[in-house]
Amino acid sequence: MHKALADPLRIRLLEAMWEMPRSARELADFIGLPVDRLYYHLGRLEQAGLIEIAEYRPLARGKVERVYAPAVTEPPADGATPEEQAAFLGSMLDATRADINAAYQARQVGRRREVDLHRGALRLTDEALAELRGHIEELASRFGNHDAPGVWTRVVVAVVDLHDRPFDNAPSHGGPDEPC
């Protein structure tokens, strides 16, 4: 499942289906890509059990099109290798970057799009970290109703221990007594 979501396009497709079930043609129009480019990605999502065919819609001349819907509301966090989780997170960040760029471009032409970015580093005890995680889970469950009215909004919260970063032991540059 995490491998299937290790692509920002697939994340965007799944999110579009969370809004409403859509055909490949409707998804192509929504995403802004040719429909033939989506079939591979829809197949990967379907194989992973993330989407399913919700209905077959009749078209002209006796043809039908598949209408896809999400089979799950969010991928489970358990069961993935660290590499799969990292690939999923990278794809989520790529999709988020595309969303932020699109929102800023829409705002430049006068459309209403909300973008709030907050970044910071906190010193947390184990107890404070547990409390922060509890608050995040509480907010996610409080506002995470997929059937509620409103505008779909991407929220990404990352809690990462910075202590063991590979470059922590590297010599620092630019300190008061060191040349840059």
Side-chain angles (χ1 to χ4, degrees):
M1 181 177 292
H2 285 81
K3 285 182 183 179
L5 289 175
D7 184 303
L9 176 58
R10 290 187 209 130
I11 291 171
R12 291 178 64 206
L13 291 170
L14 185 59
E15 289 174 342
M17 287 180 261
W18 282 343
E19 290 181 19
M20 67 159 83
R22 298 174 194 254
S23 68
R25 181 183 42 80
E26 291 167 331
L27 287 165
D29 291 343
F30 184 81
I31 301 289
L33 292 173
V35 69
D36 61 333
R37 189 161 163 220
L38 299 186
Y39 287 115
Y40 169 78
H41 297 285
L42 291 170
R44 293 292 305 263
L45 290 170
E46 192 173 8
Q47 287 173 343
L50 292 166
I51 64 170
E52 58 194 12
I53 298 170
E55 68 176 291
Y56 291 91
R57 187 181 297 152
L59 298 173
R61 293 187 284 241
K63 294 184 179 187
V64 295
E65 68 179 349
R66 296 176 180 170
V67 177
Y68 298 93
V72 296
T73 56
E74 60 185 57
D78 300 333
T81 66
E83 293 81 13
E84 289 171 334
Q85 288 182 355
F88 170 70
L89 178 59
S91 294
M92 181 60 76
L93 293 174
D94 287 344
T96 302
R97 179 180 26 247
D99 291 338
I100 291 168
N101 287 336
Y104 280 127
Q105 289 172 356
R107 284 172 65 178
Q108 287 178 338
V109 296
R111 294 187 10 228
R112 180 176 176 254
R113 292 289 297 272
E114 299 293 331
V115 180
D116 294 308
L117 301 175
H118 304 277
R119 184 177 186 276
L122 309 170
R123 289 187 178 267
L124 300 173
T125 63
D126 288 343
E127 295 80 19
L129 177 59
E131 183 180 346
L132 176 62
R133 285 185 174 142
H135 287 299
I136 293 168
E137 289 174 16
E138 180 184 328
L139 288 170
S141 74
R142 181 176 166 202
F143 295 107
N145 182 353
H146 288 278
D147 296 325
V151 176
W152 280 97
T153 305
R154 183 186 312 277
V155 177
V156 178
V157 177
V159 177
V160 181
D161 183 338
L162 301 178
H163 180 71
D164 293 324
R165 291 185 291 183
F167 52 85
D168 275 351
N169 296 328
S172 63
H173 298 286
D177 299 328
E178 296 179 13
C180 290

